[in-house]
């Protein structure tokens, strides 16, 4: 079988001048004040602001400019000079704005005033904060608590998140789903199952000591570009990088460091991946099984020859369970099945296996390419199997590294934004605040969408995000969303979720973390938790985009105060005046994680809240790390058949989730449009299609529902056969809400079964 190997010549490297040009373009379009650059120079350093973009950790020994293309764009986007004021609504109705693109909605600028929807004119109109809080509180009080959902996107800091969760529980519900329900929930649930930790096990120093990095479905070049610096360093000291990804992602091929003048002037590129294996979407279980087979075979040879074992038998015996069954499965696995299901040749998998064997310390990195599948948790368990074989967890330079998305998505879960009651110290909440927290689990995003469509959810409060655009089953969601009694969106910019207002609907504009947050006791700081479980303080210094903005914490407290009965323990005004008091509460609720919180929050690189699996303490049922025997070879919930494709929904480097900065996906050579579908040349040929042709994608779930996305132009792209790609969030109209990871209910956005339809003809 011919492998699809990345061609480093095919596109420019990640970073480099392309990165600077891309930042400059956003600067030119949003025209922030010149001092915005100063804001960037302080980013991710002690005393500065923690980036509003992703959750990549902040090193102790930071670079002069500890920001990246991604962070720079997000910063400039927030610091734009454009404003979406109440006057904007004089010229536009909500119905009219539904025809606008995501990019154009956000380009209207920062939201400036609290607004209420007026059905008579189909517009949002200005309202005072007090009126807004009062009306929202009155409506919430009229509902049964479980009919309301309190969603959070991962933007808000730990203090606001803690109070938000406290408010929902004091109100009477655990309906606290979060963006991670569409993202790394597979990690929270799946990783906990096998190593007893819901988060990654490595810390920064491990990056500096690893001999090899194995990447599965994570794209640092676009999504966490500061990761490219330690990877470049790793390559310099001779470490290997192996990538499994259906798409050739430029950041995993080569990189020019835009913050290194020598690299920039000479165009010196660092080659990133030593082996790039273009696995089929959903084919990782088979691929990893193949790598494990290579390792086990090498161990058999070592045993026969009497040389050093390849498996870390001492570790396996002391620390793991399920090894015997797993090893049987590996021995019996047939290369024919492995190559068919993975789409990779035996030789290519063996080469990856050889690198794994000769590397003393290995880090397994993963992202949405593993989590967003019907068997996402099994994907993760397979990666853990591979790491366990050679004791690569809980050891210096080795471990498991899920790369989180939003800047505080992990932290919000840590402090209580979670629908699962077992994650919450309910007794402590009861003790601290003198109320009986609800005991029933709340809704995940999938539950919430289903219950919303069924008419059982009557109110949605959203602390950030653009939920209507981020979830599957988008058309039905849009119809159902506006039937609710109440929708409340705490936002910085206008987005599509505002355009389907409930019977009572509010947009509450908040400060960005970059902006100074002055309360009764003075300037406040907030904290966030990164992918390596480090907590860092962040102090915004910029003048707020409007004098009418409130902080997220103040908005949460305002709604809570208007909704709940007054109680001596619920000190909403005092907490708003001094966020340090909220940190004291977090410390009292989670004493092991947040000891000396207020004292340590500005420690360079953040303070580590610890992770038992990092120390080889396994909080699983068996108190051991678990080998999982796969009962299948792919992560799909559907069979292949003629005319059915696996649609992988992708991000460009010119977007942050549903925020579309522009139309330049320069790494993939797609300019000026997002209305494309990427297909490999052989599939285009076989289907009798032509590059450039306009087609629709039609969902191929067997549930009788028509879901279609029209107007996509075919682009020939280097992909495994049967895997096609188109952009998220546009593709969310194609996904069914029942298509999700079996264990965690994370939507399976990386392999949606679809057919291709040519206008006015039958499906191909
Ligand atoms: N610029 C930018 N940065 C972002 C974001 C953004 O939208 N834009 N979003 C933020 C958020 S919330 C998140 S969660 C992270 C997401 O960051 P990532 O986890 O990197 O997410 P994706 O880009 O969706 O997909 C990751 C990679 O998985 C590959 N992939 C897809 N299916 C498979 C598969 O079956 N197997 C394998 N091995 N690979 C597969 C894709 O080709 C892609 O390269 O990024 C954060 N950072
Ligand atoms: N098909 C498909 N669907 C997916 C994915 C996929 O890969 N494919 N990825 C999933 C993933 S990983 C995620 S995380 C979700 C993302 O889903 P969400 O988190 O809901 O969406 P975002 O696009 O991040 O939200 C953008 C909006 O957040 C608001 N905002 C920005 N900054 C702030 C702030 O500081 N505070 C507040 N209060 N609001 C702010 C702005 O109004 C902006 O319009 O989407 C998921 N959906
Ligand atoms: Mo995410």
């Amino acid at each position: 079988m011919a492998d699809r190997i990345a061609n480093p010549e095919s596109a420019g490297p990640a970073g480099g001048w392309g990165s600077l040009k891309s930042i400059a373009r956003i600067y030119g379009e949003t025209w922030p004040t010149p001092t915005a650059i100063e804001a960037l120079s302080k980013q991710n350093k002690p005393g500065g602001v923690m980036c509003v973009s992703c959750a990549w950790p902040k090193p102790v020994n930071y670079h002069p400019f500890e920001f990246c293309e991604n962070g720079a764009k997000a910063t400039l986007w927030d610091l734009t000079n454009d404003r979406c004021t109440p006057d904007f609504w004089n010229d536009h109705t909500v119905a009219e704005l539904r025809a606008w693109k995501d990019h154009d909605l956000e380009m209207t600028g920062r939201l400036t005033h609290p607004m209420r929807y007026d059905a008579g004119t189909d517009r949002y109109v200005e309202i005072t904060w007090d009126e807004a809080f009062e009306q929202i509180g009155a409506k919430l009080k009229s509902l049964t608590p479980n009919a309301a959902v309190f969603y959070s996107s991962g933007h808000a800091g730990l203090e606001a998140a803690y109070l938000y969760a406290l408010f929902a529980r004091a109100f009477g519900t655990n309906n606290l789903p979060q963006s991670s329900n569409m993202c790394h929930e597979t990690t929270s649930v799946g990783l906990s199952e096998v190593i007893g930790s819901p988060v990654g096990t490595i810390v920064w120093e491990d990056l500096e000591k690893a001999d090899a990095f194995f990447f599965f479905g994570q794209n640092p070049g676009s999504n966490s570009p500061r990761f490219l610096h330690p990877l470049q360093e790793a390559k310099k000291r001779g470490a290997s990088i192996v990538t499994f990804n259906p798409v050739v992602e430029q950041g995993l091929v080569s990189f020019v460091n835009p913050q290194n003048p020598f690299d920039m002037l000479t165009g010196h590129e660092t080659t990133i991946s030593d082996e790039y294996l273009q696995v089929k979407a959903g084919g990782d279980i088979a691929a990893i099984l193949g790598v494990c087979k290579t390792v086990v075979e090498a161990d058999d040879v070592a045993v026969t020859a009497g040389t050093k074992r390849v498996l870390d038998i001492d570790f396996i015996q002391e620390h793991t369970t399920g090894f015997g069954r797993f090893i049987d499965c590996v021995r019996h696995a047939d290369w024919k099945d492995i190559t068919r299901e993975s789409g990779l040749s035996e030789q290519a998998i063996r080469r990856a296996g050889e690198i794994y064997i000769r590397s003393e310390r290995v880090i397994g990195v993963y992202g949405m390419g593993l989590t967003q599948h019907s068997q996402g948790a099994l994907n993760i368990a397979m990666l853990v199997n591979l790491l366990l074989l050679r004791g690569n967890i809980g050891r210096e330079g080795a471990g498991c590294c899920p790369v989180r998305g939003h800047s505080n998505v992990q932290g919000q879960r840590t402090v209580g934004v979670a629908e699962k009651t077992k994650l919450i110290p309910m007794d402590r909440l009861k003790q601290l605040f003198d109320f009986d927290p609800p005991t029933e689990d709340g809704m995940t995003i999938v539950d919430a969408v289903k219950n919303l469509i069924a008419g059982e959810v009557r109110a949605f409060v959203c602390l950030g995000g653009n939920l209507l655009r981020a979830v599957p089953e988008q058309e039905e969601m849009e119809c159902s969303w506006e039937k609710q009694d109440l929708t409340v969106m705490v936002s910085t910019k206008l987005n599509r979720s505002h355009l389907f207002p409930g019977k009572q609907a509010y947009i509450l504009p908040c400060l960005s973390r970059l902006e100074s947050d002055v309360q009764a006791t003075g300037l406040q700081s907030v904290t966030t938790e990164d992918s390596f479980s480090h907590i860092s303080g962040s102090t915004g210094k910029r003048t707020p985009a409007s004098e009418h903005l409130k902080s997220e914490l103040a908005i949460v407290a305002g709604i809570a105060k208007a909704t709940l009965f007054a109680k001596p323990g619920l000190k909403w005004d005092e907490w708003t005046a001094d966020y340090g008091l909220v940190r004291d509460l977090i410390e009292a609720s989670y004493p092991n994680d947040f000891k000396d919180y207020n004292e340590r929050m500005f420690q360079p690189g953040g303070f580590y809240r610890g992770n038992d699996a990092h120390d080889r303490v396994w909080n699983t049922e068996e108190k051991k790390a678990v080998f999982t025997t796969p009962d299948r070879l792919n992560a799909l919930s559907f069979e292949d058949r003629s005319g059915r494709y696996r649609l992988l929904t992708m991000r460009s480097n010119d977007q942050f989730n549903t925020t579309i900065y522009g139309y330049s996906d320069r790494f993939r050579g797609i300019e000026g449009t997002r209305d494309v579908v990427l297909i490999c040349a052989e599939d285009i040929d076989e289907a009798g299609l032509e590059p450039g042709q306009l087609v629709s994608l039609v969902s191929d779930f067997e549930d009788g529902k028509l879901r279609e996305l029209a107007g996509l132009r075919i682009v020939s792209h280097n992909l495994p056969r049967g895997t096609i790609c188109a952009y998220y969030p546009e593709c969310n109209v194609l996904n069914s809400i029942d298509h999700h990871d079996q264990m965690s209910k994370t939507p399976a956005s990386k392999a949606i079964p679809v057919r291709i339809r040519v206008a006015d003809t039958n499906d191909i």
Side-chain angles (χ1 to χ4, degrees):
M1 185 185 306
D3 284 313
R4 291 183 178 276
I5 303 291
N7 173 10
E9 314 297 324
S10 65
W17 293 110
S19 169
L20 291 190
K21 269 202 267 183
S22 192
I23 298 170
R25 203 204 66 234
I26 301 278
Y27 190 84
E29 280 174 14
T30 58
W31 290 114
T33 50
T35 50
I37 299 296
E38 192 193 320
L40 279 175
S41 69
K42 302 217 171 95
Q43 207 153 83
N44 298 324
K45 295 178 188 168
V49 166
M50 295 307 125
C51 182
V52 292
S53 179
C54 86
W56 185 250
K58 294 87 194 151
V60 178
N61 302 314
Y62 43 81
H63 284 245
F65 294 100
E66 196 51 59
F67 66 89
C68 64
E69 172 175 343
N70 214 356
K73 284 181 177 173
T75 302
L76 300 178
W77 201 248
D78 271 6
L79 297 184
T80 174
N81 268 340
D82 294 321
R83 298 288 178 266
C84 182
T85 66
D87 287 347
F88 171 79
W89 297 96
N90 295 338
D91 304 326
H92 305 285
T93 62
V94 164
E96 176 205 328
L97 292 172
R98 288 181 188 174
W100 284 31
K101 289 194 173 285
D102 300 304
H103 172 76
D104 299 329
L105 289 172
E106 290 218 11
M107 279 296 279
T108 56
R110 288 287 299 280
L111 296 161
T112 55
H113 290 67
M115 305 292 283
R116 162 186 75 78
Y117 178 64
D118 176 50
T121 56
D122 191 31
R123 292 165 210 274
Y124 279 91
V125 293
E126 208 180 323
I127 185 173
T128 67
W129 281 106
D130 284 346
E131 283 169 332
F133 291 152
E134 201 180 300
Q135 293 175 13
I136 293 166
K139 191 78 231 172
L140 282 173
K141 274 193 268 195
S142 74
L143 300 171
T144 45
N146 280 337
V149 176
F150 296 85
Y151 169 69
S152 178
S153 169
H155 298 278
L158 292 166
E159 297 79 1
Y162 177 86
L163 289 192
Y164 190 57
L166 172 64
F167 161 48
R169 296 202 164 90
F171 175 63
T173 183
N174 284 310
N175 286 342
L176 280 157
Q178 195 213 17
S179 51
S180 72
N181 283 112
M182 300 173 274
C183 181
H184 267 292
E185 189 60 12
T186 329
T187 299
S188 309
V189 175
L191 202 57
S192 296
E193 199 77 11
V194 289
I195 63 166
S197 166
V199 298
T201 67
I202 68 162
V203 293
W204 190 272
E205 293 70 39
D206 295 320
L207 295 175
E208 293 166 349
K209 300 204 169 111
D211 300 312
F213 294 81
F214 274 61
F215 272 84
F216 293 88
Q218 202 271 332
N219 181 13
S222 286
N223 299 333
S224 46
R226 286 187 301 116
F227 195 171
L228 296 177
H229 300 156
L231 287 181
Q232 194 187 30
E233 294 297 319
K235 290 299 294 192
K236 278 191 198 149
R237 61 164 201 272
S240 306
I241 295 178
V242 176
T243 297
F244 291 81
N245 196 318
V247 185
V248 179
E249 303 289 20
Q250 202 48 44
L252 286 161
V253 175
S254 63
F255 173 55
V256 170
N257 188 344
Q259 291 165 6
N260 178 327
F262 176 78
D263 281 6
M264 288 298 279
L265 290 174
T266 57
H268 176 79
E269 289 178 30
T270 304
T271 300
I272 300 288
S273 295
D274 299 84
E275 294 287 338
Y276 203 117
L277 295 96
Q278 280 186 267
V279 62
K280 289 183 192 177
D284 298 271
I285 296 171
I288 298 172
L289 193 64
V291 181
C292 292
K293 197 169 170 69
T294 311
V295 177
V296 170
E297 286 174 4
D299 187 66
D300 289 344
V301 171
V303 170
T304 312
T307 52
K308 186 170 181 269
R309 296 282 304 256
V310 174
L311 299 177
D312 186 342
I313 290 295
D314 292 345
F315 169 82
I316 292 172
Q317 278 170 356
E318 188 185 339
H319 286 285
T320 72
T321 170
F323 176 68
R325 215 173 137 224
F326 176 66
I327 213 80
D328 274 355
C329 164
V330 171
R331 288 217 161 86
H332 287 108
D334 189 331
W335 279 109
K336 266 209 294 287
D337 298 327
I338 291 173
T339 54
R340 185 192 63 245
E341 292 297 332
S342 64
L344 301 168
S345 70
E346 182 179 331
Q347 298 90 299
I349 296 176
R350 282 190 184 280
R351 282 200 302 273
E354 293 305 326
I355 294 179
Y356 183 73
I357 291 166
R358 68 166 184 262
S359 306
E360 197 44 46
R361 292 172 285 258
V362 178
I363 291 178
V365 183
Y366 70 89
M368 299 301 99
L370 289 196
T371 65
Q372 294 179 335
H373 277 293
S374 300
Q375 292 292 335
L378 184 55
N379 272 336
I380 294 170
M382 283 302 292
L383 173 55
V384 167
N385 286 340
L386 176 63
L387 294 173
L388 293 179
L389 285 180
R390 285 176 48 78
N392 272 315
I393 299 189
R395 181 157 68 81
E396 208 175 52
C400 189
C401 176
V403 181
R404 299 274 168 168
H406 283 301
S407 54
N408 196 32
V409 65
Q410 181 168 316
Q412 292 188 352
R413 283 294 205 214
T414 304
V415 299
V417 178
E419 69 285 354
K420 298 176 184 69
T421 47
K422 67 173 183 196
L423 302 176
I424 310 301
M426 297 294 188
D427 288 349
R428 287 213 188 94
L429 292 186
K430 188 175 157 78
Q431 213 180 349
L432 283 168
F433 305 106
D434 186 30
F435 73 94
D436 286 313
T439 51
E440 207 181 305
D441 273 353
M443 297 176 198
T444 61
I445 284 293
V446 164
D447 303 329
V449 168
K450 287 180 150 190
N451 291 331
L452 178 68
I453 292 171
E456 281 158 27
V457 168
R458 304 304 314 153
F460 242 99
V461 179
C462 294
L463 184 60
N466 183 6
L467 190 65
L468 271 187
R469 205 66 176 130
V471 287
E473 219 70 85
Q474 204 164 307
E475 272 185 34
E476 268 190 83
M477 267 295 272
E478 289 180 351
C479 296
S480 308
W481 191 263
E482 56 187 355
K483 295 195 182 114
Q484 294 185 88
D485 296 321
L486 177 68
T487 54
V488 179
M489 306 281 311
V490 180
S491 309
T492 50
K493 294 235 178 143
L494 192 62
N495 65 45
R496 192 164 174 86
S497 298
H498 301 128
L499 305 180
F500 296 82
K503 290 179 196 144
Q504 253 176 261
Y506 303 84
I507 303 176
L508 305 180
C510 66
L511 292 172
S512 152
R513 190 151 69 231
L514 298 157
E515 292 165 337
S516 60
D517 179 357
V518 179
Q519 303 292 347
T521 64
L523 182 67
Q524 303 298 309
S525 301
V526 299
T527 44
T528 56
E529 175 180 335
D530 62 36
S531 281
F532 293 175
S533 308
H534 283 62
I535 318 281
S536 301
S538 173
T539 316
K541 305 264 169 66
R542 309 282 311 174
T543 307
S546 145
E547 57 184 338
H548 305 288
L549 301 184
K550 281 190 185 290
S551 73
E552 285 163 315
L553 188 146
I555 296 172
V556 169
I559 301 175
K561 198 177 159 192
T563 309
L564 303 175
F565 290 112
K567 264 187 179 229
L570 297 177
K571 300 175 183 166
W572 303 107
D573 291 335
E574 283 172 49
W575 295 334
T576 306
D578 181 358
Y579 297 1
L581 298 176
V582 182
R583 285 187 285 275
D584 288 341
L585 294 173
I586 297 176
E587 184 174 338
S589 309
Y590 304 91
N592 294 336
D593 300 272
F594 290 94
K595 193 171 166 333
D596 301 330
Y597 191 0
N598 275 306
E599 290 76 59
R600 293 197 295 162
M601 62 187 271
F602 290 113
Q603 193 169 301
F607 71 85
Y608 187 36
R609 87 180 161 80
N611 177 341
D612 284 346
H614 172 265
D615 303 325
R616 295 197 165 170
V617 173
W618 317 102
N619 297 322
T620 56
E621 226 167 85
E622 301 86 345
K623 301 290 169 215
K624 301 244 178 185
V626 180
F627 276 101
T628 309
T629 303
D631 55 357
R632 61 187 71 229
L633 286 178
N634 68 45
L636 310 178
S637 57
F638 53 87
E639 303 285 317
D640 281 333
R641 68 172 185 218
S642 165
R644 176 181 273 176
Y645 298 84
R646 303 172 186 186
L647 171 66
L648 181 167
T649 59
M650 60 179 177
R651 303 172 143 78
S652 85
N653 66 300
D654 217 8
Q655 73 183 88
F656 192 87
N657 299 333
T658 71
T659 295
I660 311 299
Y661 300 128
Y663 297 88
S664 168
D665 190 354
R666 70 174 194 284
F667 297 143
R668 303 192 182 103
I670 297 162
E671 296 292 336
T673 179
R674 293 171 55 87
D675 300 328
V676 291
V677 51
L678 278 47
I679 315 179
C680 74
E682 296 91 328
D683 282 348
I684 294 178
D685 261 6
E686 192 178 283
L689 298 165
E690 294 284 340
Q693 194 174 349
L694 269 184
V695 293
S696 292
L697 293 181
V698 190
S699 98
D700 200 24
F701 292 102
E702 284 153 13
D703 61 2
K705 284 190 193 160
L706 176 68
R707 302 181 187 86
E708 181 168 357
L709 181 63
L712 301 179
R713 216 165 269 291
I714 294 179
V715 173
S716 175
H717 203 80
N718 176 3
L719 289 168
R721 296 208 58 179
T723 298
I724 65 175
C725 300
Y727 288 113
Y728 146 67
E730 290 83 345
C731 283
N732 272 337
V733 288
L734 290 165
N735 205 3
S736 157
I737 195 63
D738 291 317
H739 186 53
H740 55 71
D741 172 45
Q742 291 312 298
M743 205 184 268
S744 65
K745 297 194 181 167
T746 305
S749 309
K750 291 296 184 260
I752 302 174
V754 293
R755 300 189 306 276
I756 297 172
R757 178 172 290 170
V758 177
D760 302 327
T761 60
N762 293 328
D763 298 345
I764 301 294

